[in-house]
Amino acid sequence: MTPRILVLPGSNRNGSFNAALAAAASLELAGQGADVSRISLADYPLPLVDENLKNETGVPENAVKLGHLIAAHSGVFLCCPEYNSSIPPLLKNMIDWVSLITRDGDRAFKPWQGRYVALGSASNGKLGGIRGLYHVRSVMVNVGTQVISEQCAVSGAADAFEADGRLKDERTQAMLTNTCKSLIRHCAMMTAG
């Protein structure tokens, strides 16, 4: 069975390096045989996580939509900007809202539970945003996902991508290829089981 993988950039900025990485990851995953869906969080606006709001009106509809989308895939590739060596607020807010989903009608429902997750980052800095991935990894493990050990960091991101969306640097492309290969392998084991 073909693994279904959701690719999600943690930035809505025009010209986002992480949206470019999401496009490159989508190409690579599809080239390796995965069934890929790529989305933008701009299509799922959410208020800041607020327990009062949750208690009054429930988890926002867009978070529930994202929860169903995540649960429909065996894997997620998160492309994460680095803010002050940590996780960006847009991404953290989405992760937190989806983690607050516990039911779908009369059945228990935890969208993150059991998903395999790959992490990537892109930045103009020399480290490619990799410092922030430590925090993203910690958060994703805490919400019940299994984060694969391989990851990809793209440095000098303003000049890192070809016109067709692929990465220029062979070493960085190899990192992306290996990360995608590992994610597909883990997802294939999940769908086979």
Side-chain angles (χ1 to χ4, degrees), residues 126-159:
K126 290 185 178 178
L127 297 178
I130 202 164
R131 291 174 301 182
L133 295 185
Y134 174 81
H135 294 163
V136 180
R137 182 176 295 275
S138 176
V139 169
M140 295 315 298
V141 168
N142 194 61
V143 298
T145 71
Q146 299 180 58
V147 184
I148 65 168
S149 56
E150 295 83 358
Q151 59 188 21
C152 177
V154 181
S155 59
D159 191 42

Side-chain angles (χ1 to χ4, degrees), residues 32-51:
Q32 291 189 31
D35 179 2
V36 180
S37 305
R38 179 163 47 109
I39 64 168
S40 169
L41 291 179
D43 296 326
Y44 302 89
L46 290 167
L48 288 174
V49 169
D50 180 337
E51 287 288 338

Side-chain angles (χ1 to χ4, degrees), residues 46-189:
L46 290 167
L48 288 174
V49 169
D50 180 337
E51 287 288 338
N52 290 331
L53 179 64
K54 179 186 169 243
N55 292 337
E56 289 166 16
T57 60
V59 174
E61 183 182 350
N62 278 337
V64 174
K65 286 179 184 175
L66 283 164
H68 283 282
L69 195 56
I70 289 161
H73 292 78
S74 49
V76 179
F77 195 118
L78 292 177
C79 300
C80 311
E82 177 188 272
Y83 282 28
N84 298 314
S85 302
S86 191
I87 185 169
L90 176 73
L91 184 60
K92 180 69 163 60
N93 194 56
M94 179 278 295
I95 293 166
D96 289 346
W97 268 125
V98 172
S99 76
L100 292 173
I101 299 168
T102 57
R103 303 205 66 74
D104 182 20
D106 59 354
R107 71 179 178 100
F109 181 52
K110 292 183 150 298
W112 288 121
Q113 199 71 43
R115 298 298 74 120
Y116 284 101
V117 173
L119 302 178
S121 60
S123 166
N124 250 347
K126 290 185 178 178
L127 297 178
I130 202 164
R131 291 174 301 182
L133 295 185
Y134 174 81
H135 294 163
V136 180
R137 182 176 295 275
S138 176
V139 169
M140 295 315 298
V141 168
N142 194 61
V143 298
T145 71
Q146 299 180 58
V147 184
I148 65 168
S149 56
E150 295 83 358
Q151 59 188 21
C152 177
V154 181
S155 59
D159 191 42
F161 298 93
E162 299 282 7
D164 68 358
R166 298 182 190 279
L167 287 162
K168 293 178 182 177
D169 179 67
E170 286 182 21
R171 184 175 166 276
T172 309
Q173 178 59 48
M175 261 197 301
L176 180 61
T177 298
N178 290 336
T179 301
C180 292
K181 190 178 294 183
S182 178
L183 181 59
I184 289 171
R185 186 175 68 249
H186 281 86
C187 291
M189 289 188 300

